[in-house]
Amino acid sequence: MKHQLTLMAIMCFVMCLSQSFAQSAALNPEDITPVEVGDVLPEAVLRNAKGEDVSLKKLIGTTPAVLVFYRGGWCPYCNLHLSSLAAAESAITDLGYQILAISPDDFGNLDPTIDKGGLGYTLLSDPGGSFITDLGIAFQTPEKVKGYVASTAQAGNMADVIPVPGVMVVTTEGEIRYTYFNPDYKVRMEADALLDVLKGLKK
C-alpha cells in the first residue's frame, strides 16, 4: 500500500511538472515551439477595448479568422504591420475572413492603437499572455523592452511575456490552417503574401 501511494505521488509530480513545462514561455524568441497546422486552438478568454471578457471561440464561431499576434501598441513595427493589414482588410473580408489582432497589451491601450493606425478590425488583449503561452509563441519580455515601455504613456502593467509576432489562419471550429511566425520582430508577413495564402486555402 505504501509503495502504491509513493508511486502515485511520483506520477502526480511528473504530470504536474510536464504541465508546468508545457505552459511556460520560452526564454528567447528563437526557442518558441508554436502550435502546428491541424491543431485546434485552446480555449481562450480575451478582453476587448471596453475591458469586457470575450470568448475567442464565440468570436470565430461564425466567420473564419486571421489571427494577428503583435507585441503591443508600443511597438512601431507592430503598428506598421497592423496598418498594412487595415489597408487590405476589405480584400480579406471579401475572401470570407475576419481579422482579430491579439497582444498582451492592457485593454486600455487597444483604442489608442486602433486610432493611431486607423484600424477597422478588432483588437483584443490577452491578459498576462496566457493564450500566447498556450500557443507556444510566447517568450519572456526582455528587460530592455520593459524599460522602453516604461518610458511611454502605456496603460496598465507590462506583461512578463510577449509573442513572437505572426499570423495564424483558423476555421470556425478553431482548426489551424496556416501559421507564420518569425523570431525577428522586424520581419512581418506582407499583406499581399497573406492574401495569396487565403486564396490558396479557398481552392
Side-chain angles (χ1 to χ4, degrees):
M1 181 68 176
K2 185 177 179 180
H3 177 73
Q4 288 180 328
L5 290 174
T6 301
L7 184 59
M8 289 176 64
I10 292 173
M11 290 175 64
C12 182
F13 173 78
V14 171
M15 289 175 66
C16 290
L17 188 62
S18 298
Q19 187 177 39
S20 174
F21 277 119
Q23 295 175 346
S24 63
L27 180 61
N28 301 299
E30 297 82 7
D31 300 327
I32 64 168
T33 53
V35 290
E36 300 177 347
V37 171
D39 289 341
V40 176
L41 292 177
E43 292 287 340
V45 176
L46 305 173
R47 200 162 289 167
N48 62 23
K50 296 180 180 179
E52 301 167 333
D53 288 346
V54 292
S55 165
L56 181 60
K57 184 177 181 179
K58 288 184 178 180
L59 290 175
I60 66 173
T62 56
T63 307
V66 174
L67 303 184
V68 181
F69 297 92
Y70 69 104
R71 305 196 303 166
W74 49 268
C75 172
Y77 293 95
C78 295
N79 289 321
L80 286 172
H81 188 223
L82 294 175
S83 295
S84 71
L85 293 177
E89 183 180 10
S90 60
I92 291 172
T93 55
D94 285 347
L95 289 169
Y97 294 89
Q98 61 176 320
I99 303 175
L100 301 173
I102 301 167
S103 83
D105 245 356
D106 184 274
F107 74 88
N109 297 309
L110 300 182
D111 274 341
T113 301
I114 290 170
D115 293 341
K116 186 189 304 182
L119 311 180
Y121 53 84
T122 300
L123 266 59
L124 297 163
S125 169
D126 175 21
S130 59
F131 181 49
I132 60 173
T133 300
D134 287 344
L135 292 176
I137 61 172
F139 68 99
Q140 297 175 25
T141 306
E143 289 301 319
K144 64 179 181 180
V145 170
K146 290 184 178 180
Y148 170 75
V149 176
S151 69
T152 65
Q154 292 285 297
N157 297 318
M158 180 68 197
D160 290 328
V161 296
I162 54 177
V164 167
V167 172
M168 188 179 292
V169 181
V170 299
T171 68
T172 54
E173 290 78 30
E175 180 186 352
I176 300 168
R177 299 289 310 282
Y178 175 84
T179 67
Y180 173 89
F181 293 96
N182 194 317
D184 184 349
Y185 66 88
K186 297 179 181 179
V187 180
R188 306 298 174 99
M189 186 176 198
E190 299 289 343
D192 287 345
L194 174 59
L195 287 170
D196 287 341
V197 167
L198 297 179
K199 291 173 183 176
L201 291 174
K202 285 290 185 180
K203 294 179 180 179

